[in-house]
Amino acid sequence: MKNIVLILSCVLAISCGRTTKNQEQKFEKGTFGYDLNYLKDKDSALIVLRGDGGRSQIIVSAAYQAKVFTSTAYGAEGKSLGYVNYKVFESGVIDEHMNGYGGENRFWLGPEGGQYSVFFEKGKEQVYDNWHTPKPIDTEAWSVTFVNQGNVSLKKEMTVTNYLGTQFHLQVDRNISLIELPEIQFGLGITLNPNVKAVAYSTENRILNLNDFEWTKATGTICIWMLDMFNPAPHAVTVVPYREGNETALGKVVTSDYFGEIPADRLKVSADVIYLKTDGKYRSKLGLNAHRTTSIAGNYDPDAGRLTVISYEVDNGAIYLSQEWNPAKDPLTGDAMNAYNDGPLDDGSIMGPFLELESVSPAAFLKPMQSLVHKHNVYHFIGSEDDLSPITEKLFGVKTVEIKNVF
């Protein structure tokens, strides 16, 4: 009981006591301060992690499934770098399919479709009307187990059922930590120009098998699925480096037909880099398998001077699950990373718009009380085209001007 009181006291000290000033101030829409005030009305126990003298900050919400909602590299007045879906909040409606509140980093479970899907009931046709996000990762609150200025740990015990009818009982533990500037540079092997501002954080995500049986190919299994939502922009481009090589050994370079083939004016595959236009005007998705991905990807918005980079763990000797809405497809052949650009559906409606960078863990073939961990990091860099170019050259092998002019 004493530990619980201590944790709650820390949460109040960090999320309430240190945000009072922001709540009293008015901020322009699009700033971190605006989103902090807005989200505070939705979750009175928001957790704000701070580093670099308060310039780098991130908002975490236990009430909204342990999401990192957004971040800033310039304090409260700085641009809000994540995606917050105001229209979903304002609707006041709980959607039976998915409640897309936003969040620049969220924890989900996969697979979404196929024989092992945890989004479709047994025997149901895998179409949108039958697609339902499991409540523990959509609407239910999580618990905070630890928090200080730069770190927060959360957990959730849950049960989800797959397309085969197997019920998975598991515990999820999620640790989120700010990455300070020296560690950003060391971890990525880069040197930042002093003019570049940055905010970054690591997430460590663990699932524990609480069933009394092993998760096997016969029962089906699950995977950890990390999704990062950001605001699209007219000239924003997602950049995905890949490993070149024979398709017989490595598989096809990219899966680009999730929603039909992506038009050539929106997808470009060069010698060792893939580009996807992310203007929020055309629904499209691509994927790379574990042999092709280099465990890093990014998105560059030249108009905002924003470069976002994600890095994640990959095991190219492991099995990755298919996420496609197709029970006839081999469930044991899937992608390790995905990128998405939102756009209008056939009826003209749109979920966002937003863009996403995603990674998944290998299949969790776990015995009782065994666990699987997946690590996923997010980095934002704010600066001029020239100042950001050394980063893209080091990490992606291309200059910012090349990314800007690719389409």
Side-chain angles (χ1 to χ4, degrees), residues 167-185:
Q167 284 192 334
F168 299 101
H169 185 200
L170 63 146
Q171 179 173 306
V172 180
D173 293 282
R174 179 159 152 79
N175 302 314
I176 302 164
S177 301
L178 278 177
I179 306 175
E180 298 286 4
L181 286 174
E183 189 181 352
I184 291 173
Q185 296 182 101

Side-chain angles (χ1 to χ4, degrees), residues 219-232:
T219 64
T221 189
I222 54 178
C223 62
I224 296 169
W225 186 9
M226 305 306 304
L227 302 99
D228 302 332
M229 302 175 81
F230 308 110
N231 292 293

Side-chain angles (χ1 to χ4, degrees), residues 129-273:
D129 284 349
N130 298 325
W131 178 79
H132 302 282
T133 308
K135 287 182 173 56
I137 56 173
D138 186 46
T139 57
E140 296 179 3
W142 290 36
S143 300
V144 177
T145 58
F146 174 81
V147 63
N148 64 18
Q149 181 169 306
N151 306 271
V152 61
S153 299
L154 310 99
K155 73 175 182 179
K156 177 73 173 178
E157 189 172 324
M158 62 184 73
T159 299
V160 297
T161 304
N162 74 359
Y163 192 69
L164 299 177
T166 304
Q167 284 192 334
F168 299 101
H169 185 200
L170 63 146
Q171 179 173 306
V172 180
D173 293 282
R174 179 159 152 79
N175 302 314
I176 302 164
S177 301
L178 278 177
I179 306 175
E180 298 286 4
L181 286 174
E183 189 181 352
I184 291 173
Q185 296 182 101
F186 178 79
L188 292 177
I190 60 175
T191 300
L192 291 179
N193 185 298
N195 295 326
V196 173
K197 301 303 179 186
V199 58
Y201 53 92
S202 65
T203 75
E204 182 178 275
N205 309 276
R206 175 178 178 265
I207 56 175
L208 174 69
N209 179 359
L210 297 179
N211 285 117
D212 59 2
F213 60 85
E214 183 176 356
W215 301 346
T216 66
K217 294 178 182 179
T219 64
T221 189
I222 54 178
C223 62
I224 296 169
W225 186 9
M226 305 306 304
L227 302 99
D228 302 332
M229 302 175 81
F230 308 110
N231 292 293
H235 303 107
V237 177
T238 283
V239 186
V240 185
Y242 71 93
R243 289 192 174 90
E244 295 184 273
N246 186 278
E247 288 200 8
T248 302
L250 301 180
K252 61 182 176 180
V253 171
V254 58
T255 300
S256 55
D257 59 353
Y258 276 90
F259 309 120
E261 278 296 338
I262 304 171
D265 64 344
R266 291 186 162 274
L267 177 69
K268 181 177 180 180
V269 181
S270 68
D272 52 7
V273 179

Side-chain angles (χ1 to χ4, degrees), residues 112 255-263 282-286 324-325 339-343 345-346 351 356 358:
E112 183 177 12
T255 300
S256 55
D257 59 353
Y258 276 90
F259 309 120
E261 278 296 338
I262 304 171
Y282 189 91
R283 191 166 180 251
S284 47
K285 182 175 179 177
L286 61 80
E324 294 184 36
W325 293 15
Y340 175 79
N341 179 56
D342 200 20
L345 300 172
D346 292 339
M351 289 189 290
E356 283 183 323
E358 311 171 10

Side-chain angles (χ1 to χ4, degrees), residues 77-94:
E77 288 81 10
K79 185 174 178 60
S80 185
L81 299 172
Y83 172 72
V84 178
N85 198 337
Y86 309 111
K87 67 182 181 182
V88 171
F89 276 112
E90 296 306 317
S91 73
V93 175
I94 300 298

Side-chain angles (χ1 to χ4, degrees), residues 306-336:
R306 173 195 55 77
L307 171 65
T308 296
V309 176
I310 68 164
S311 66
Y312 44 90
E313 291 185 325
V314 177
D315 182 351
N316 58 23
I319 294 172
Y320 285 78
L321 302 177
S322 171
Q323 301 260 30
E324 294 184 36
W325 293 15
N326 181 5
K329 185 177 175 64
D330 181 359
L332 304 178
T333 304
D335 292 324

